[in-house]
Amino acid sequence: MSEASRRASPIGGAAEGLTAWKVYLYAVSFIALIVAIAGSVSLLAIAVEVFIYPVPQPYPAPQYFPDLPGSVAQVVVGLVVWGYHWRLLKKEH
């Protein structure tokens, strides 16, 4: 069997189909996207609190919204990790 026919047949090699590397890339992309979505939901909840409920005068904003830094970090890290792994997946195709 020639090299060209082995590449053309789906049984001939692991170049086609779902490999462990692609499963890893899809899994990490999915988890990173979920993290970014969870951070976005938290940021949306904080934005609703900011625009509906005013900040009390004796408390500065960082103490009043303790989840803000973590939510921003979730969105940024989730999107960066998702983007990197998704770009690797697109190179695979």
Side-chain angles (χ1 to χ4, degrees):
M1 184 186 280
S2 71
E3 183 69 26
S5 64
R6 250 188 287 152
R7 282 190 208 147
S9 71
I11 302 172
E16 297 294 323
L18 196 62
T19 62
W21 176 245
K22 285 185 181 180
V23 170
Y24 163 78
L25 290 175
Y26 278 116
V28 171
S29 296
F30 177 72
I31 292 169
L33 194 58
I34 294 299
V35 168
I37 289 171
S40 298
V41 168
S42 182
L43 279 178
L44 188 61
I46 292 170
V48 166
E49 286 182 24
V50 166
F51 291 116
I52 292 178
Y53 305 110
V55 178
Q57 293 302 323
Y59 301 110
Q63 291 178 357
Y64 188 67
F65 304 112
D67 295 336
L68 184 63
S71 299
V72 171
Q74 278 184 320
V75 171
V76 170
V77 171
L79 288 178
V80 168
V81 171
W82 173 80
Y84 175 74
H85 285 84
W86 195 252
R87 190 173 327 138
L88 287 177
L89 264 169
K90 290 301 171 187
K91 284 182 184 178
E92 292 285 323
H93 292 287

